Amino acid sequence: MANTLAAPLIDDGLAKRNALLLALAQSFAGGVPPIIFATTSILASVLLVDDKSLATLPVTAFVLGTAIGTLPAGMIMRSFGRRAGLVGALLFGVLFALVAAYAAYLGSFTLLCASTLGSGFVMAFTQQARFAAADTASPAFKPKAISWVLTGGILAGVVGPQTVILTQGMFEPFLFVGTYLAQAVLMLIGLFFVAFLEIPLPPKMEKHERGRPLLEILKQQKFFVAVGCGMISYAIMNLIMTSAPLAMVACGLTNSDAALGIQWHVIAMFAPSFITGSLISRFGHGAVIGTGFLLYAVCALVGLTGLERWIFWSSLILLGLGWNLSFVGASALLTQTYRPEEQNRVQSINDFFVFGLVATASFSSGKLLNVFGWETVILMVFPFVILCLFLVVSLMFTEKREVKV
């Protein structure tokens, strides 16, 4: 069925089918970010001679590319449909993976950053997959549709790091060339599943039908809390995840140890997605988001206890669990802040804010780690956890007052 065919606005059967296809696509194409996070900082550290603090710049370029791509992703999918946007993006993802392989072969730090910038732009489109699954879902099924898509990250959490471990030395002495060639294959597999999506184009609207003024949407407390918590949740996760592989290698652990740490982290990021939607439906958005940020605090406390491998891995697992509850909760809360005709615009603005802050966190992580050390990176978590808990509790009190009225 083509994207342009009519379909009911609310069709949970179609939403479930699309969520399954998107989860399968995420299982393979979603392995790309773990590959980039597990390899590019290490490769950059090898390539850089004078200033090792720039080792996280390729990851920063990846996140910056995602931030840059969020608004175009929304506009393209609005005009041409979710499937067309995702298919085109994944084709470009194959190209940028090949550029990364060439950069690793040449030993070019600049070309490596360019490849991750492009891959990040592609990921802006795949980030929209969690919302695409909810396009035809009923209000009750929306949180579950979002969490279903994210379950694909469980397999991606294994596929990405295991790809690194199996391919890192395939073209010795050129580190990670084989890894980036395998990355291109993963994008092609994701493309196969995306090609079968059935998501109807939203109806064309006249100017007066395009929803409320943007300022009116932004002024909602729910929007502020959803975007604020989503931004900070992803930024905290990225800050720690980007620094961890470098910190592990600096402590004498191996590249494989670092890749396995990322593997357990990514699995923890997505494994709770089987139940996160149900938890939101039962306990509410605020309780789930707040629990996620409390897990971030526990992650930081564990990380401060030592530099052994099991401590790094335990912290990364707790970090992944905290991200799932806080970010999925924030994403589900966001769906309550817009009308159907406003969804692409609001989703794109949300992701622009989220990945704008994440890019800052990613770049800062290299500087913080190089100048102040791993402990300082960990300590940065606490003030942001307190801020988000305040936002969540404030929203919960507001909702209680509205129920009483």
Side-chain angles (χ1 to χ4, degrees):
M1 185 183 294
N3 270 353
T4 53
L5 291 181
L9 253 178
I10 297 178
D11 183 344
D12 282 348
L14 183 58
K16 289 176 182 178
R17 180 183 184 277
N18 289 328
L20 177 60
L21 285 169
L22 288 166
L24 290 168
Q26 178 79 358
S27 297
F28 295 95
V32 171
I35 288 173
I36 289 174
F37 291 133
T39 64
T40 56
S41 294
I42 293 171
L43 179 58
S45 184
V46 172
L47 298 179
L48 292 168
V49 177
D50 298 323
D51 190 357
K52 300 290 185 181
S53 68
L54 295 177
T56 60
L57 190 57
V59 175
T60 301
F62 175 78
V63 179
L64 183 61
T66 305
I68 293 170
T70 52
L71 296 180
M75 289 187 290
I76 289 171
M77 289 184 178
R78 173 77 195 177
S79 299
F80 302 102
R82 298 285 196 184
R83 184 175 64 184
L86 288 168
V87 167
L90 290 174
L91 284 172
F92 275 102
V94 174
L95 172 63
F96 289 121
L98 296 176
V99 172
Y102 188 54
Y105 174 74
L106 290 180
S108 171
F109 176 73
T110 301
L111 195 58
L112 180 65
C113 291
S115 73
T116 57
L117 181 72
S119 293
F121 190 89
V122 169
M123 287 301 113
F125 287 78
T126 63
Q127 283 291 330
Q128 293 278 319
R130 69 190 193 278
F131 295 124
D135 279 356
T136 63
S138 65
F141 186 65
K142 282 183 187 292
K144 293 182 181 179
I146 291 171
S147 61
W148 279 25
V149 174
L150 294 181
T151 59
I154 299 171
L155 182 56
V158 177
V159 168
Q162 288 300 321
T163 299
V164 175
I165 292 169
L166 294 172
T167 62
Q168 59 183 319
M170 187 176 289
F171 292 93
E172 287 185 341
F174 304 105
L175 186 63
F176 300 133
V177 170
T179 302
Y180 300 135
L181 292 175
Q183 177 181 319
V185 175
L186 294 179
M187 299 297 274
L188 285 171
I189 296 172
L191 175 62
F192 171 80
F193 291 110
V194 163
F196 292 98
L197 287 175
E198 295 180 15
I199 302 177
L201 275 169
K204 291 187 179 295
M205 294 176 291
E206 301 298 328
K207 188 173 182 180
H208 68 279
E209 297 176 318
R210 293 178 182 173
R212 295 165 291 172
L214 184 58
L215 185 60
E216 184 179 339
I217 299 171
L218 297 179
K219 286 167 65 176
Q220 298 174 94
Q221 185 185 15
K222 276 187 181 180
F223 178 88
F224 184 80
V225 173
V227 174
C229 289
M231 289 169 61
I232 294 173
S233 169
Y234 221 122
I236 289 175
M237 186 276 292
N238 191 267
L239 178 72
I240 303 300
M241 182 179 63
T242 303
S243 301
L246 288 172
M248 282 189 272
V249 171
C251 291
L253 300 176
T254 66
N255 292 346
S256 293
D257 289 328
L260 284 170
I262 295 297
Q263 171 178 300
W264 292 116
H265 164 68
V266 176
I267 291 172
M269 284 174 66
F270 296 106
S273 296
F274 288 110
I275 61 170
T276 308
S278 298
L279 291 175
I280 292 169
S281 298
R282 181 171 180 179
F283 298 106
H285 299 83
V288 172
I289 296 170
T291 302
F293 281 104
L294 288 174
L295 283 170
Y296 275 154
V298 177
C299 154
L301 290 171
V302 170
L304 291 171
T305 62
L307 299 173
E308 290 81 7
R309 179 174 59 183
W310 73 268
I311 292 177
F312 277 110
W313 286 9
S314 298
S315 295
L316 285 168
I317 289 170
L318 288 164
L319 183 73
L321 295 173
W323 177 86
N324 183 278
L325 296 182
S326 57
F327 188 69
V328 174
S331 296
L333 180 62
L334 184 75
T335 64
Q336 296 189 348
T337 67
Y338 53 75
R339 299 169 182 169
E341 65 271 20
E342 300 163 347
Q343 66 181 22
N344 290 85
R345 184 166 45 133
V346 175
Q347 290 163 4
S348 297
I349 290 169
N350 171 75
D351 281 1
F352 178 77
F353 284 140
V354 167
F355 290 102
L357 183 61
V358 172
T360 302
S362 177
F363 182 72
S364 301
S365 65
K367 294 288 185 181
L368 286 170
L369 183 65
N370 190 62
V371 177
F372 299 105
W374 174 244
E375 183 176 316
T376 299
V377 175
I378 291 289
L379 288 171
M380 290 293 293
V381 170
F382 293 107
F384 292 105
V385 166
I386 293 170
L387 173 60
C388 286
L389 288 175
F390 172 77
L391 291 175
V392 168
V393 171
S394 299
L395 177 63
M396 292 172 74
F397 274 118
T398 299
E399 290 177 334
K400 277 188 177 181
R401 285 199 303 267
E402 289 175 351
V403 169
K404 287 179 181 179
V405 173

